[in-house]
Amino acid sequence: MKAFVTRKIPDVGLQLLRAAGVEVTAHTEKRELAQEELITACLRHDALLSVGGRNKIDAVFLNACSHLKVVSLMSVGYDNVDVVAARELGIPIGHTPGVLSNATADTAFLLMMAVARKAFYLHNTIARGEWGFFEPTRNLGVELNGKTLGVFGLGKIGMALARKCRGAYDMPLIYHNRGRNEAAEQELGARWVPFDELLRESDVLSLHAALTPETKGLFNEAAFGKMKQSSIFINTARGAMHNEQHLLRALQEEQIWGAGLDVTNPEPMDPDNPLLNMPNVAVLPHIGSATVEARNGMAVMAAQNLIAGLKGEPLPFAVKG
Ligand SMILES: NC(=O)c1ccc[n+]([C@@H]2O[C@H](COP(=O)([O-])OP(=O)(O)OC[C@H]3O[C@@H](n4cnc5c(N)ncnc54)[C@H](O)[C@@H]3O)[C@@H](O)[C@H]2O)c1
Ligand SMILES: O=C(O)[C@H](O)CO
């Protein structure tokens, strides 16, 4: 049984695959595989372990590679996959939910704090030799204590963030999901609100829903226009959920106070993007789950999914979508 892996992954995942008798070919060059290259490689393999969302597991790919016994994603998000086409072709899709929730919530928390205290911008001013003269009215941030956290998409990562915010800053929680999250309401006293109310009432608005046709571009001029002037916008979900030009304008026109992004639109972000030089903005290069613990866990889950698929067994962590 042969598996193609699109990136260097943690050894713990490779060891698991090899111990199960899977012959692994990994694309370890530091460049994206073109779609045709991925198809060509998969034609020589029985299974695909796909890392990151760059390669589209779309209908064209799936029809060309309909012999695959499983596609195992080393990510929780599966917005790069045509789940309907995969189901019709009988190709199971696996992903890695849960194991990265804490790391990704930490990233959202880190961005929230960095924006509140202008930390990334001030770090850069020091590097430019601009430490400057101490004045009590300079470099002022805002405090988060008691501020309202609004979560769009209160699932595993949103909950992990909400718990951190409750513990650290006693932040009340409001959220908008398609349905109610009763567990969150009981545990954290979370309050479901309509989308517009989420925009209007959040002091910190953090995105944690999946990218879907419904959520694509949802955070646009109209949405930013409804937010508080003092609010902080955080996106660690997917860059395509916000309109980056509209976000820039909302910040420049002081419709919102700040923004923290782990995901940008497009990725990678252009180094000349004015957002990178704004005091109340913090940007990271999509490192939400980049901890040793999370990445090892993801590699193990992806390997377990792949092995189950090759054996024709149900995947332990299957995309249900
Ligand atoms: N920055 C990163 O590196 C990184 C890491 C992990 C996950 N992510 C992103 O975070 C997303 C969430 O991950 P999770 O594990 O918390 O998923 P999850 O399924 O546990 O939670 C998602 C929540 O969003 C809600 N939701 C879905 N569509 C919605 C809509 N249209 N409106 C309102 N709510 C909606 C769902 O009901 C669910 O409660 C992933 O899909 C992925 O795109 C990013
Ligand atoms: O969805 C995820 O798991 C992360 O964004 C990594 O792609």
Side-chain angles (χ1 to χ4, degrees):
M1 292 182 300
K2 294 182 178 176
F4 185 68
V5 181
T6 63
R7 288 275 204 288
K8 179 176 171 356
I9 65 166
D11 285 342
V12 66
L14 292 174
Q15 284 159 5
L16 211 57
L17 291 173
R18 292 190 176 121
V22 180
E23 201 182 305
V24 176
T25 313
H27 169 75
T28 51
E29 288 172 45
K30 290 186 182 10
R31 65 172 182 87
E32 297 295 341
L33 276 169
Q35 204 65 1
E36 310 77 59
E37 290 180 288
L38 182 67
I39 292 175
T40 306
C42 285
L43 288 174
R44 296 194 294 265
H45 294 81
D46 309 301
L48 170 65
L49 195 158
S50 176
V51 184
R54 287 305 177 110
N55 286 113
K56 301 284 166 234
I57 314 296
D58 56 12
V60 174
F61 170 85
L62 290 162
N63 278 299
C65 297
S66 59
H67 68 288
L68 288 175
K69 294 197 160 54
V70 57
V71 172
S72 174
L73 309 176
M74 197 177 127
S75 62
V76 65
Y78 51 87
D79 45 280
N80 60 326
V81 179
D82 186 333
V83 178
V84 175
R87 193 186 310 124
E88 281 167 3
L89 289 162
I91 304 174
I93 309 289
H95 69 150
T96 61
V99 73
L100 42 48
S101 301
N102 190 49
T104 310
D106 273 350
T107 304
F109 191 90
L110 155 72
L111 287 168
M112 175 181 80
M113 288 196 69
V115 172
R117 299 300 297 271
K118 310 180 180 180
F120 290 16
Y121 172 81
L122 293 174
H123 174 104
N124 289 338
T125 62
I126 298 168
R128 287 198 300 266
E130 296 167 10
W131 183 293
F133 179 67
F134 170 76
E135 287 166 276
T137 55
R138 228 177 111 235
N139 295 337
L140 301 189
V142 290
E143 295 189 22
L144 295 162
N145 219 39
K147 299 277 166 71
T148 297
L149 172 68
V151 173
F152 178 74
L154 187 62
K156 288 178 281 301
I157 299 172
M159 276 297 281
L161 174 67
R163 289 189 188 105
K164 289 175 200 295
C165 290
R166 174 59 57 90
Y169 295 121
D170 204 14
M171 292 171 78
L173 172 63
I174 57 175
Y175 74 101
H176 181 79
N177 276 17
R178 286 166 300 185
R180 298 278 286 265
N181 182 338
E182 282 167 19
E185 295 186 10
Q186 279 189 3
E187 182 189 331
L188 292 168
R191 188 163 59 86
W192 183 93
V193 291
F195 183 61
D196 276 10
E197 202 170 320
L198 184 81
L199 298 171
R200 278 199 306 270
E201 290 194 9
S202 299
D203 292 309
V204 176
L205 174 56
S206 195
L207 312 193
H208 299 287
L211 174 65
T212 64
E214 269 180 302
T215 62
K216 188 172 180 184
L218 191 59
F219 294 85
N220 56 14
E221 191 172 24
F224 295 128
K226 290 175 186 153
M227 290 173 63
K228 291 185 187 180
Q229 273 193 298
S230 56
S231 64
I232 294 175
F233 174 78
I234 303 290
N235 190 358
T236 60
R238 284 289 182 266
M241 285 164 67
H242 68 251
N243 179 314
E244 213 142 282
Q245 284 308 317
H246 294 186
L247 174 62
L248 175 63
R249 220 165 33 240
L251 287 159
Q252 285 169 333
E253 293 174 4
E254 298 182 4
Q255 284 171 355
I256 66 172
W257 194 78
L261 307 175
D262 181 50
V263 289
T264 63
N265 186 10
E267 287 180 12
M269 180 179 260
D270 186 330
D272 293 328
N273 192 313
L275 286 169
L276 292 170
N277 290 316
M278 298 183 83
N280 304 352
V281 173
V283 185
L284 290 170
H286 201 146
I287 51 101
S289 64
T291 63
V292 173
E293 293 85 349
R295 289 286 163 81
N296 281 345
M298 292 163 76
V300 167
M301 289 167 84
Q304 289 170 335
N305 275 332
L306 190 133
I307 293 163
L310 282 174
K311 288 182 180 165
E313 294 171 359
L315 308 194
F317 315 103
V319 166
K320 296 191 181 75

